[in-house]
Amino acid sequence: MQVPAKNKMKRSAKIVIAIAALVMVPTTIVGVAVVVPTNLKRLSAEYPAIEDRSARKPGGAGCALSEVGAAGACSKANVTSVRDEEVSFASSIPEKGLARLNGTLSVPVGVEGKRPAIILVHGSGPNGRDEELRGDLVSKLDAPLKVFKELADFFVHEGLVVLRYDKRAPQFYPSYDRAKLKNVRWSDFEIDARDALAFLATRTEVDPDALVVAGHSEGGQLAPYIAHENARVAAVIMLAGVMDDFETGLLGQLERLAEARAAQWDLIGAWGVRQEKAKYAPCFERLRTKYDPNEVCIGGGVTQAALKDYMDYAARMPTVLAAGRSPVFVIQGSVDRNIDPMAVPKIGKALGARDHELHYVPGVSHGLVNVVTPTKPASVDADVKRRIALFLASVKRH
């Protein structure tokens, strides 16, 4: 669904850039035309940085996820090369139109024994295994960045076997029975990821009791659900993950964009975004007062039945976060306005006494790229990788 372009603002700087913001329900895209680029440095300074490991509870006698053991001692895995393999695994919900999902398995070479393994769970929209991003709500990259391909390379060089796969979407599966798309629910993406974990556990290269779930954006919200009550999951990594339901997420996302425009005196742009916000609000009201499971009122083919499923699913998140047993790594960039800038402390509060650590990284966007002091070409921020590496080195294998 596209927001109609507004008239150009009659100012000396008449630069119009289109920003596409991926919201949380799959296949739903909000496009907004704004005037002059967003002041990313200002956004980055609005909230203080966080690197809080005070709730971590490291322990155990084994080696960490990124380590190998030899002669009674642990040391960092020394990966000499990587072997990539095209794989497919069975779906446990073939009645939803897809019998198997396809992906790439990356295996570290030069490391002895069975290795911990990690799955990468996509953000919203029809994402392939590489999760190629061009920007986010407030920033744009000069060239597309294959975030999951880069993260896969990072994790495999930390000594983990990595599985990234194509999301269930007709773009990646030509044989997909499109007539069954209307039956897809939010929880189906959790089931797909659980199927991916089950597949990983069968691989001879993998320690089936040292699995990790890492999700980005929408996948970050899914990650705790995927790991929930699975004793084989050793850790959860939430990369710019959300905690909100769809109503709070979408309307909040639009309001944050409006506030960013207004702060730069782009009052027309702010007004236009708030008009878009007002257009969607009645849909959520009808969800509560005049529910029609077949009505499509958000866009992207999302029915009220699917929307209600999402809302009900998200309502369980505080319970799922608090009840889990594996340690959780939570990270967000300070320039990220796709999700609530207070998501990190909110998630931390919900985690409560559960083993976890929290990070809010200066200059980093929703796509995990530093857009305040950018590199060329763009890449996943080095400080984000550093913090994840420290987490992996602190989590002991079962």
Side-chain angles (χ1 to χ4, degrees):
M1 60 190 164
Q2 298 294 323
V3 180
K6 306 300 174 184
N7 292 330
K8 292 183 180 180
M9 195 172 187
K10 294 182 180 179
R11 300 165 62 181
S12 58
K14 295 183 178 179
I15 306 171
V16 179
I17 46 178
I19 295 178
L22 291 179
V23 295
M24 290 179 290
V25 165
T27 74
T28 305
I29 298 178
V30 179
V32 182
V34 299
V35 179
V36 306
T38 304
N39 186 331
L40 302 177
K41 188 175 181 179
R42 182 189 64 79
L43 286 185
S44 183
E46 285 186 343
Y47 297 89
I50 299 171
E51 189 166 357
D52 183 4
R53 298 183 180 86
S54 62
R56 276 290 287 118
K57 303 170 185 176
C63 294
L65 296 175
S66 56
E67 294 178 331
V68 294
C74 298
S75 60
K76 181 74 166 59
N78 181 23
V79 178
T80 56
S81 61
V82 176
R83 175 172 60 83
D84 286 334
E85 179 183 341
E86 297 300 296
V87 297
S88 70
F89 56 92
S91 169
S92 59
I93 48 172
E95 69 276 9
K96 292 294 184 82
L98 199 59
R100 301 186 70 83
L101 286 90
N102 303 324
T104 299
L105 188 76
S106 298
V107 180
V109 177
V111 185
E112 295 290 334
K114 292 178 177 289
R115 296 303 305 158
I118 185 169
I119 60 168
L120 302 182
V121 186
H122 333 71
S124 60
N127 272 304
R129 67 190 72 181
D130 291 338
E131 197 185 55
E132 185 174 288
L133 301 181
R134 292 168 172 79
D136 58 18
L137 188 67
V138 295
S139 65
K140 184 178 182 296
L141 300 178
D142 292 336
L145 173 64
K146 295 180 178 180
V147 175
F148 273 12
K149 185 175 182 180
E150 184 174 338
L151 284 176
D153 184 69
F154 163 73
F155 282 117
V156 77
H157 280 93
E158 289 293 309
L160 282 69
V161 177
V162 186
L163 174 61
R164 63 191 197 274
Y165 58 94
D166 297 325
K167 198 173 185 178
R168 59 168 58 240
Q171 290 90 328
F172 309 111
Y173 300 96
S175 62
Y176 202 123
D177 186 348
R178 290 173 178 264
K180 295 181 179 178
L181 279 174
K182 64 180 181 298
N183 299 322
V184 173
R185 294 292 180 265
W186 174 252
S187 54
D188 294 339
F189 299 112
E190 175 190 333
I191 294 171
D192 289 344
R194 286 179 176 266
D195 291 339
L197 281 178
F199 167 73
L200 269 183
T202 68
R203 296 288 304 203
T204 58
E205 308 93 337
V206 170
D207 177 351
D209 293 317
L211 304 177
V212 181
V213 180
H216 177 234
S217 191
E218 173 187 282
Q221 184 176 34
L222 279 167
Y225 291 87
I226 296 161
H228 189 56
E229 297 183 340
N230 187 339
R232 290 186 150 183
V233 174
V236 174
I237 298 176
M238 299 176 66
L239 304 167
V242 295
M243 188 174 171
D244 295 329
D245 60 37
F246 187 52
E247 179 176 13
T248 305
L250 174 59
L251 301 185
Q253 187 180 77
L254 291 170
E255 181 58 29
R256 286 189 293 275
L257 179 57
E259 289 172 356
R261 302 317 308 166
Q264 296 181 207
W265 295 100
D266 178 10
L267 302 183
I268 293 178
W271 176 84
V273 176
R274 288 189 171 117
Q275 288 295 107
E276 189 71 10
K277 176 184 172 183
K279 184 175 77 174
Y280 296 125
C283 176
F284 296 104
E285 183 60 30
R286 291 199 298 277
L287 193 66
R288 291 183 285 269
T289 61
K290 195 177 180 181
Y291 175 65
D292 178 355
N294 297 314
E295 181 189 6
V296 176
C297 58
I298 289 295
V302 180
T303 64
Q304 281 209 351
L307 194 55
K308 184 178 186 302
D309 174 75
Y310 190 167
M311 303 287 277
D312 294 343
Y313 191 93
R316 294 173 42 226
M317 191 167 186
T319 300
V320 170
L321 285 170
R325 50 162 296 281
S326 50
V328 182
F329 176 92
V330 183
I331 196 164
Q332 180 183 359
S334 66
V335 183
D336 188 350
R337 294 299 182 271
N338 281 48
I339 61 176
D340 185 352
M342 293 298 292
V344 167
K346 284 181 179 178
I347 293 170
K349 183 177 180 180
L351 286 164
R354 183 175 176 179
D355 187 356
H356 68 273
E357 59 183 71
L358 307 174
H359 300 267
Y360 196 72
V361 189
V364 171
S365 69
H366 186 66
L368 307 177
V369 175
N370 194 314
V371 292
V372 174
T373 56
T375 60
K376 290 187 180 295
S379 63
V380 175
D381 181 59
D383 196 29
V384 170
K385 292 179 181 178
R386 176 188 67 83
R387 296 177 191 223
I388 297 173
L390 287 174
F391 174 71
L392 294 174
S394 74
V395 178
K396 303 294 185 181
R397 295 167 71 171
H398 296 334

